[in-house]
């Protein structure tokens, strides 16, 4: 009489490629998923509750990075390492400009960021006007989705005007948008972590 062999779930897991894939995916991704989720959630909360302070801190960090990069270029120009196709004067000039920009970011973080945001707003306005002119031409020709194009173009111009009139509000709105995106990404990472953990527990038990 043949003896009935007791099945070993761990051995069955090792012989199943799909279950093996889930286990390897958990081992490789679990730590990263939960770490990214927590980090992005903390960043999102800080951005949502302290947007202006976050903007000032971010500007300060950007200024330090730009200044260090400029200082590095100045040192390269002064040392003159003899790299082909490079100019010591260009390295020094470019480095000094970056150092100056970095100092401006650090000393006047909010004002500098608003200045750069004005540049962005002007470029956005130019693009919105181009879209409006194109939509008007399409409306005259009654070609394509001219009504929808005209509505979108008018909305873009209105947004550009609001950004120019209220630059700080535009910056804060942009920070809120980034914060909500990070929060959604963080929640999805945490959800995936618990799903992988549940799947691994189910295939081993």
């Amino acid at each position: 009489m043949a003896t009935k062999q007791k099945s070993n779930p761990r051995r069955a897991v090792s012989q199943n490629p799909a279950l093996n894939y889930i286990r390897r995916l958990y081992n490789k991704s679990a730590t990263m998923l939960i770490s990214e989720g927590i980090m992005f959630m903390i960043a999102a909360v800080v951005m949502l509750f302290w947007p202006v302070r976050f903007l000032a801190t971010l500007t300060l960090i950007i200024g330090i990075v730009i200044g260090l990069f400029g200082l590095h270029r100045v040192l390269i120009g002064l040392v003159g390492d003899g790299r082909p196709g490079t100019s010591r004067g260009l390295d020094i000039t470019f480095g000094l400009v970056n150092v100056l920009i970095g100092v401006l970011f650090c000393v006047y973080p909010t004002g500098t960021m608003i200045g750069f945001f004005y540049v962005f707003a002007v470029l956005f306005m130019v693009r919105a006007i181009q879209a409006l002119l194109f939509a008007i031409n399409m409306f005259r020709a009654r070609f394509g989705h001219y009504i929808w194009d005209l509505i979108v173009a008018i909305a873009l111009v209105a947004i550009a005007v609001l950004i120019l009139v209220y630059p700080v509000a535009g910056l804060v709105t942009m920070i809120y948008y980034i914060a909500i995106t990070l929060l959604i990404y963080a929640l999805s990472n945490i959800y995936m972590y618990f799903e992988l953990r549940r799947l691994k527990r189910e295939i081993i038990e």
Side-chain angles (χ1 to χ4, degrees):
M1 185 175 179
T3 58
K4 188 176 180 180
Q5 293 183 351
K6 190 176 180 180
S7 61
N8 188 342
R10 293 185 180 273
R11 185 177 179 184
V13 168
S14 64
Q15 295 175 352
N16 191 321
L19 300 181
N20 265 329
Y21 171 76
I22 293 175
R23 185 169 58 182
R24 289 197 306 269
L25 183 63
Y26 176 85
N27 293 334
K28 291 181 180 180
S29 306
T31 304
M32 182 188 67
L33 285 173
I34 195 65
S35 300
E36 283 187 353
I38 294 174
M39 181 180 65
F40 287 147
M41 184 169 289
I42 293 174
V45 169
V46 172
M47 293 169 71
L48 286 172
F49 286 94
W50 300 282
V52 177
R53 186 175 300 178
F54 172 82
L55 179 63
T57 304
L58 179 63
T59 308
L60 180 64
I61 294 173
I62 293 174
I64 293 173
V65 173
I66 293 176
L68 291 176
F69 174 74
L71 184 61
H72 174 70
R73 292 296 298 269
V74 171
L75 293 176
I76 289 177
L78 292 176
V79 173
D81 55 359
R83 294 176 300 162
T86 60
S87 170
R88 294 181 59 185
L90 182 62
D91 280 335
I92 294 174
T93 303
F94 183 75
L96 290 176
V97 170
N98 279 272
V99 170
L100 178 61
I101 294 175
V103 170
L104 288 176
F105 266 86
C106 293
V107 177
Y108 307 104
T110 305
T112 305
M113 184 60 74
I114 291 176
F116 275 93
F117 195 74
Y118 267 120
V119 174
F120 164 78
V122 170
L123 295 176
F124 186 81
M125 173 64 80
V126 171
R127 184 66 186 90
I129 292 175
Q130 289 177 347
L132 180 60
L133 294 176
F134 175 80
I136 291 174
N137 290 330
M138 293 298 101
F139 182 81
R140 289 175 178 175
R142 297 294 191 272
F143 181 78
H145 305 284
Y146 54 90
I147 296 179
W148 173 251
D149 292 337
L150 188 61
I151 293 173
V152 172
I154 293 174
L156 289 175
V157 173
I159 293 173
V161 171
L162 289 175
I163 290 175
L164 285 171
V165 176
Y166 305 104
V168 176
L171 281 171
V172 173
T173 303
M174 182 177 65
I175 292 174
Y176 278 132
Y177 171 78
I178 296 173
I180 293 172
T181 303
L182 285 178
L183 186 60
I184 294 173
Y185 190 78
L187 292 175
S188 66
N189 272 16
I190 294 174
Y191 171 77
M192 284 298 300
Y193 166 77
F194 283 107
E195 279 295 300
L196 285 175
R197 186 178 178 181
R198 180 182 63 82
L199 286 173
K200 183 186 178 185
R201 185 169 58 248
E202 287 181 359
I203 64 176
I204 291 179
E205 289 178 353

